[in-house]
Amino acid sequence: INLPSSPAAAPTPLQRFFASIDIDDTGVISFEEFLSAYRTALPPGVPPPAKTAPAYFENIFNKLNIDVTQGISFKTFQRVSKEFTKQQVSIQRRSQESDALQEMSRKMRELERELGEVRRNPPVVGSNDELLRKIE
């Protein structure tokens, strides 16, 4: 990918990332560049996962190579990146919603316990303050 040379048209982080993978600067990420990028992304001393057979990577590469070319173009890379970001945001939102539901559920259980206690030990008539304290 040809990166803009003027400061006003500075490359985006995604363009820089793509360029760092597109080692031969053809504007297309080849399978070899894709494989190399994956392997260099692993921290030093960390062995690759068990699913590192070439067929596994070819399958991933082919799924990303939507326009069925000799490699992944920047346009395709950008489109896949946007989809991935949307999915990540969706997953994060669902996780936050799940956390909120769990908190609500916990508070409901606490309230049910407190109401059960009030039913078992009703307050003495005239002691509304004690009842209000238990409900709060």
Side-chain angles (χ1 to χ4, degrees):
I1 188 170
N2 294 326
L3 298 176
S5 57
S6 71
T12 66
L14 191 62
Q15 287 172 321
R16 286 193 303 270
F17 182 57
F18 182 89
S20 73
I21 298 170
D22 181 22
I23 297 168
D24 60 8
D25 199 27
T26 59
V28 174
I29 297 174
S30 67
F31 177 71
E32 292 76 23
E33 290 169 326
F34 174 77
L35 192 57
S36 175
Y38 176 82
R39 290 189 173 143
T40 58
L42 293 172
V46 174
K51 295 181 178 180
T52 54
Y56 173 76
F57 288 109
E58 284 179 42
N59 185 30
I60 293 172
F61 182 80
N62 291 333
K63 285 180 181 178
L64 294 175
N65 190 11
I66 300 167
D67 51 9
V68 193
T69 60
Q70 293 299 312
I72 301 168
S73 67
F74 180 73
K75 184 178 177 181
T76 300
F77 189 77
Q78 191 173 33
R79 186 175 34 207
V80 169
S81 175
K82 285 180 183 177
E83 276 303 310
F84 178 76
T85 301
K86 283 182 195 175
Q87 289 176 2
Q88 291 301 105
V89 167
S90 176
I91 290 168
Q92 185 179 21
R93 190 174 300 129
R94 282 194 303 255
S95 175
Q96 289 169 344
E97 289 170 357
S98 175
D99 291 347
L101 287 173
Q102 287 177 1
E103 179 63 16
M104 283 177 52
S105 178
R106 185 188 66 74
K107 287 182 178 182
M108 290 297 292
R109 285 191 304 272
E110 284 178 14
L111 183 58
E112 287 172 353
R113 276 193 302 272
E114 289 176 13
L115 287 174
E117 186 179 316
V118 169
R119 284 190 203 113
R120 284 189 300 278
N121 303 310
V124 179
V125 176
S127 66
N128 287 336
D129 291 341
E130 184 179 335
L131 177 62
L132 289 174
R133 272 192 309 256
K134 288 191 178 214
I135 291 175
E136 291 175 344

